[in-house]
Amino acid sequence: MAAAGAHRPGPLKQQNKAHKGGKHSGSSQRRAGGEAGRAPRGVKAQPRRRLRDLNRVDRRHQALQLRRQRKEAVLAEKRSLGSRDGPPHLVAVVLLHSRAAAHDTLRLLQSQDSALVRADEGRAGGFALLCPRLKQRWHFVTAQAGDLHTVLDLAKVADSLLFLLDPVDGWDSAGEHCLSCLFAQGLPSYALAVPGGTDLPPKKRIDARKKLSKSIEKRFPEAKLFPLNTEQESSLLLRHLSSQKQRHLAFRDRRAHLLAHAAEFVPSQDSDLVGTLKVSGFVRGQTLSVNSLVHIVGHGDFQVSQVDAPPDPLSLNPRVVKEQKRSQDMEVQDGSGNGADEMEEDIKVLMKADPSKQESLQSEVVPDPMEGEQTWPTEEELQEAEDALKANRRVVKVPKGTSKYQAAWIVDDGEEGSEKDDDDDEDDDMDDDLMEEAVSQEGESSEEEAGEEESETMTVSECLRDDQYDEKMEEDEQMLERYKQERMDEMFPDEVDTPRDVPARVRFQKYRGLKSFRTSPWDPKENLPRDYARIFQFQDFSRTRKNLFRQIEKEETEGASVGWYVTLHVCNVPISVMESFKEGKPLVLFSLLPHEQKMSVLNFLVRRHPGNSEPVRAKEELIFHCGFRRFRASPLFSQHTSADKHKLERFLRPDAALVVTVYAPITFPPASVLLFKQRSNGMHDLIATGSLLSVDPDRIVIKRLVLSGHPFKIFTKTAVVRYMFFNREDVMWFKPVELRTKWGRRGHIKEPLGTHGHMKCHFDGQLKSQDTVLLNLYKRVFPKWTYDPHVPEPVPWVRSESALPEREVEME
């Protein structure tokens, strides 16, 4: 009875879930040695499983070992730089103020105890400092802040930058411009030194130092100012330069580079203007291969035929060099004793180029006229076709209203038919260049007038000086016109007026309408220009870049190791390179990675520099400093979006990041980019800064045109629109294109009214009387092939003595 009367759980009893041993139950079975944990034969166990099995103490020990390895790597890098086995510590001295005492600073650095000083032969103000007691060697080179190319070229290869500041003002306008360019390009390790200031009273000296320390916090956070007035202070500065952590620049760490210590030009047998340039210097960055191409900054790409190993001119132990010379002398005496061997008895040939492995200098594709569908006839073929067309052309008298097809069947002769010119390029850019043509005509007329006045010889009077001053005002008028164009483009983006003399269906025949700019398809291989047959394209650029960088990190390249003093025999170099080196300009060489000599379409992501506000129109010639390259090109500006189509921008916007597209040699990112615009007086203004985004010829840049009309009569959902077109045929031609209004209405053209361009349109709602009807047309655009690797030297930047570092400096 007791068992029969026991309580039994009902259907509403709480049911708890069974406990599970974690989400990764399979891992516990594998750790337990179960069937799931047995790996197939021949399969190696993954090392990640060991990490999960480590206890807390082992993980802590492992993290400690990783930190020690990183610390030892940093210390090894510091010890190798400037040591006997590594390259000398290259320090570029940059003057940020005109009153900075460069001569006294260099004299203090040279007055170190037990230090040997050796002056450079090819560069004024450069010297090497050898300290056998400290087992360190430095190489100092000087660059004026106004000499833009010299500063940027030296910053590409320098291990450290030594900025010299004025004790009162810090830096002037030229120094501000220099710092902006250096920060955009990539700043290596640096130090701030303040020479002078001892002539100030102690109270003013302390106040000036506090003011200067406060002003540099924005530019150089956590930076330390080093006074440089005594030998002890110069020793502290050298110790700081040698012990500070090195900041890496990605574009130079993956490529071998060197700064020329000496150079010799040997003319070729065919011409004295081209020959072999023997450049001597210390290898930095990566191992230098003789089969790879080298890029001389500012001069182009070249091949290397031979690499020699001359004696180190900056050796810390000269006795080793003497012993090497004696051993080499014995070898020369044992062999043939001609004069050439006696001249090069101290030089050892390391390697010579292998023609089968050497990189080619081919930068463009030679298009095959029989390959592909998008081929273009040559100029000779076009001329032959035109001559044949003229020879076969006959004059036919036809009735009024006869078509060309019908006239072709008429045998009777008549008066000659008219010819039609084909100016596709002019039609493409007509809307872009209408305003520019007017401006350029004014500029040409002003140049002609200036040339006529310069050719005359007369006494300059006051009235003539006023006329010359008024001629400069024409540049202001041109700039004012550009400001107006930029302002109109901001207020009415992409809106153009429909021409009255040319039918709209003819003027805009290369444009098309899109249902949706974001989702409508556009084939990237459609209607490509001729220049696309000359460029190279990767099947997968990102994968090629990753494989190449992985190969650089893992595989060892045969060639001259980092720290060796070598002589490169660079072939087919113009004599202008040697003349530039004799003038004191730095000669910087970079080895090129595979494919970096080939032309393609480069896209840069840039942002407008806040120090410049002048309007910059698309397709204007700009100067590019991309990584280790320097060239001129006429870019396109487009929006930076994640879509497959990108809208063209007619001006460089100050409030958004834009993508700049040009034809240029392939460069593997990361690489910084600086955009400059050359003034009429030769100075270079910094326009924008950014980085290399991609190498992609398939990036579609779409130019948009907006035709506007005004509602004439408004009904419930229909309206009569005028002033968009001016004939009936244009209305019928653009009837399939969708309409929109500035107030968000959508619609389409129903039918034309009359013969003067009025049309009846239907919308999704009633229009307002102040609304504007718009019609969008689109066309793909391509950059112009204006690549020029030769950039003229800029005029030194005009300094302003009164510019203080703590307030904003206005760029003139």
Side-chain angles (χ1 to χ4, degrees), residues 637-805:
F637 303 143
S638 60
Q639 294 180 352
H640 178 51
T641 59
S642 59
D644 60 342
K645 296 181 290 296
H646 312 272
K647 193 179 81 68
L648 175 75
E649 292 288 349
R650 287 178 167 80
F651 290 89
L652 186 61
R653 301 295 181 188
D655 54 349
L658 297 180
V659 176
V660 176
T661 304
V662 293
Y663 290 110
I666 295 171
T667 304
F668 290 99
S672 60
V673 61
L674 287 76
L675 270 64
F676 292 89
K677 184 178 179 181
Q678 186 172 358
R679 295 187 194 174
S680 58
N681 57 2
M683 295 177 61
H684 291 181
D685 290 337
L686 183 61
I687 300 297
T689 59
S691 59
L692 177 60
L693 180 63
S694 64
V695 180
D696 185 13
D698 288 340
R699 189 178 189 274
I700 302 176
V701 180
I702 301 296
K703 178 181 178 181
R704 183 182 70 173
L705 285 185
V706 180
L707 303 181
S708 59
H710 300 274
F712 178 49
K713 296 178 181 180
I714 300 175
F715 302 97
T716 305
K717 286 190 175 182
T718 60
V720 178
V721 180
R722 60 180 178 179
Y723 301 149
M724 182 178 290
F725 303 108
F726 298 99
N727 57 71
R728 185 183 184 90
E729 290 77 10
D730 287 344
V731 177
M732 297 299 297
W733 179 268
F734 290 100
K735 186 177 180 180
V737 184
E738 185 183 14
L739 300 176
R740 69 178 184 89
T741 69
K742 289 189 175 181
W743 285 36
R745 296 298 181 187
R746 299 280 179 172
H748 60 275
I749 302 174
K750 290 187 65 175
E751 59 181 354
L753 298 177
T755 60
H756 294 286
H758 290 207
M759 56 187 181
K760 181 186 292 186
C761 304
H762 182 80
F763 296 92
D764 56 358
Q766 187 172 6
L767 297 185
K768 302 293 184 180
S769 59
Q770 62 270 30
D771 204 351
T772 304
V773 181
L774 305 176
L775 184 143
N776 294 337
L777 299 175
Y778 302 94
K779 180 188 70 171
R780 185 179 179 184
V781 292
F782 302 91
K784 293 182 178 180
W785 193 292
T786 57
Y787 171 78
D788 186 5
H790 303 289
V791 179
E793 291 289 336
V795 175
W797 188 264
V798 178
R799 295 182 176 272
S800 176
E801 298 292 340
S802 60
L804 295 178

Side-chain angles (χ1 to χ4, degrees), residues 150-442:
T150 301
V151 173
L152 294 179
D153 291 348
L154 289 177
K156 289 180 175 68
V157 294
D159 299 314
S160 301
L161 296 181
L162 178 58
F163 294 115
L164 299 185
L165 284 72
D166 183 72
V168 178
D169 294 335
W171 57 83
D172 52 13
S173 60
E176 174 74 18
H177 181 67
C178 176
L179 289 177
S180 300
C181 299
L182 288 176
F183 273 92
Q185 177 179 268
L187 195 65
S189 303
Y190 61 88
L192 303 177
V194 185
T198 55
D199 53 343
L200 296 175
K203 177 66 174 175
K204 291 185 178 180
R205 190 186 313 167
I206 296 175
D207 294 341
R209 183 174 179 82
K210 289 182 180 180
K211 185 178 179 182
L212 186 59
S213 300
K214 187 177 180 180
S215 63
I216 67 172
E217 290 180 356
K218 296 180 181 179
R219 279 286 192 181
F220 306 97
E222 300 180 0
K224 182 181 179 182
L225 283 174
F226 287 89
L228 200 58
N229 297 315
T230 61
E231 295 182 5
Q232 183 179 4
E233 293 173 346
S234 64
S235 301
L236 292 176
L237 178 61
L238 288 177
R239 184 177 301 176
H240 172 74
L241 290 173
S242 60
S243 62
Q244 68 177 346
K245 183 179 179 180
Q246 293 297 310
R247 304 176 64 178
H248 295 274
L249 300 180
F251 72 87
R252 75 178 185 184
D253 288 343
R254 293 188 175 95
R255 301 169 178 86
H257 55 275
L258 61 87
L259 176 66
H261 185 268
E264 179 185 357
F265 184 78
V266 180
S268 62
Q269 298 179 357
D270 300 334
S271 174
D272 295 338
L273 301 178
V274 179
T276 301
L277 184 66
K278 299 180 180 180
V279 183
S280 301
F282 292 91
V283 180
R284 303 172 186 272
Q286 295 288 335
T287 302
L288 179 61
S289 175
V290 68
N291 294 319
S292 61
L293 301 177
V294 295
H295 175 80
I296 302 179
V297 177
H299 299 282
D301 305 333
F302 304 94
Q303 287 181 330
V304 179
S305 61
Q306 181 178 323
V307 178
D308 300 337
D312 190 348
L314 306 180
S315 176
L316 290 173
N317 192 358
R319 290 177 296 180
V320 177
V321 178
K322 291 181 180 179
E323 292 175 1
Q324 292 179 354
K325 287 184 178 181
R326 292 174 183 173
S327 62
Q328 292 176 1
D329 290 342
M330 295 295 293
E331 293 177 359
V332 172
Q333 290 176 4
D334 293 340
S336 60
N338 53 11
D341 292 337
E342 293 178 0
M343 291 290 293
E344 301 180 358
E345 58 183 1
D346 294 337
I347 298 178
K348 177 182 177 181
V349 178
L350 286 180
M351 62 198 77
K352 292 187 177 182
D354 187 359
S356 61
K357 299 180 180 180
Q358 196 172 23
E359 291 282 347
S360 173
L361 281 173
Q362 181 183 3
S363 61
E364 301 178 14
V365 178
V366 179
D368 186 2
M370 302 301 295
E371 181 181 358
E373 297 179 357
Q374 298 187 24
T375 56
W376 293 86
T378 61
E379 299 295 338
E380 293 79 5
E381 294 174 347
L382 290 175
Q383 188 64 32
E384 291 178 2
E386 187 176 354
D387 295 341
L389 184 62
K390 290 180 179 179
N392 296 330
R393 183 176 294 142
R394 56 193 178 89
V395 181
V396 181
K397 182 180 292 185
V398 297
K400 187 176 181 180
T402 306
S403 64
K404 293 182 179 179
Y405 178 77
Q406 294 171 342
W409 293 89
I410 299 177
V411 183
D412 297 336
D413 294 338
E415 60 183 13
E416 185 176 353
S418 60
E419 299 180 9
K420 183 178 181 181
D421 297 333
D422 185 12
D423 297 331
D424 291 341
D425 295 336
E426 295 180 2
D427 291 339
D428 284 347
D429 299 331
M430 184 184 296
D431 55 325
D432 281 340
D433 299 335
L434 284 176
M435 302 304 297
E436 289 185 352
E437 288 179 0
V439 175
S440 62
Q441 289 175 1
E442 295 178 2

Side-chain angles (χ1 to χ4, degrees), residues 22 73 81 94 98 110 169 255 275 278 306 358 360 373 446 448 455 480 523 541-542 580 610 681 687 753 763:
L81 184 61
V94 181
S98 58
Q110 295 175 7
D169 294 335
R255 301 169 178 86
K278 299 180 180 180
Q306 181 178 323
Q358 196 172 23
S360 173
E373 297 179 357
S446 63
E448 292 176 359
S455 63
L480 178 61
D523 187 5
F541 178 74
S542 299
S580 175
N681 57 2
I687 300 297
L753 298 177
F763 296 92

Side-chain angles (χ1 to χ4, degrees), residues 500-705:
R500 301 290 299 271
D501 54 345
V502 180
R505 61 186 184 279
V506 177
R507 173 63 186 87
F508 307 121
Q509 59 184 344
K510 295 187 177 182
Y511 291 81
R512 68 180 70 173
L514 295 178
K515 180 69 176 178
S516 172
F517 181 81
R518 184 179 61 88
T519 60
S520 297
W522 197 301
D523 187 5
K525 303 297 184 183
E526 176 187 357
N527 294 333
L528 298 179
R530 296 187 189 181
D531 293 334
Y532 263 55
R534 303 164 57 186
I535 64 174
F536 290 84
Q537 183 175 2
F538 294 94
Q539 187 175 2
D540 190 341
F541 178 74
S542 299
R543 184 177 60 186
T544 304
R545 173 179 170 271
K546 289 180 181 179
N547 294 338
L548 185 60
F549 287 174
R550 190 181 299 113
Q551 180 181 0
I552 293 174
E553 294 177 358
K554 293 183 177 180
E555 298 182 4
E556 295 184 359
T557 307
E558 296 182 358
S561 301
V562 177
W564 289 8
Y565 184 79
V566 297
T567 299
L568 305 181
H569 294 246
V570 188
C571 305
N572 299 325
V573 179
I575 196 174
S576 59
V577 180
M578 189 63 191
E579 294 175 352
S580 175
F581 180 73
K582 289 181 178 179
E583 293 175 358
K585 302 294 182 182
L587 189 59
V588 180
L589 280 76
F590 275 84
S591 67
L592 298 181
L593 300 179
H595 313 296
E596 285 196 329
Q597 79 279 11
K598 302 173 182 177
M599 296 291 292
S600 187
V601 178
L602 271 63
N603 303 303
F604 304 98
L605 180 61
V606 302
R607 188 175 289 272
R608 186 71 177 264
H609 189 261
N612 190 283
S613 59
E614 294 184 1
V616 180
R617 192 179 177 88
K619 298 183 182 179
E620 280 191 44
E621 186 181 76
L622 300 178
I623 298 172
F624 289 74
H625 288 248
C626 174
F628 55 89
R629 292 188 184 274
R630 186 165 61 236
F631 57 89
R632 291 186 293 178
S634 300
L636 292 179
F637 303 143
S638 60
Q639 294 180 352
H640 178 51
T641 59
S642 59
D644 60 342
K645 296 181 290 296
H646 312 272
K647 193 179 81 68
L648 175 75
E649 292 288 349
R650 287 178 167 80
F651 290 89
L652 186 61
R653 301 295 181 188
D655 54 349
L658 297 180
V659 176
V660 176
T661 304
V662 293
Y663 290 110
I666 295 171
T667 304
F668 290 99
S672 60
V673 61
L674 287 76
L675 270 64
F676 292 89
K677 184 178 179 181
Q678 186 172 358
R679 295 187 194 174
S680 58
N681 57 2
M683 295 177 61
H684 291 181
D685 290 337
L686 183 61
I687 300 297
T689 59
S691 59
L692 177 60
L693 180 63
S694 64
V695 180
D696 185 13
D698 288 340
R699 189 178 189 274
I700 302 176
V701 180
I702 301 296
K703 178 181 178 181
R704 183 182 70 173
L705 285 185

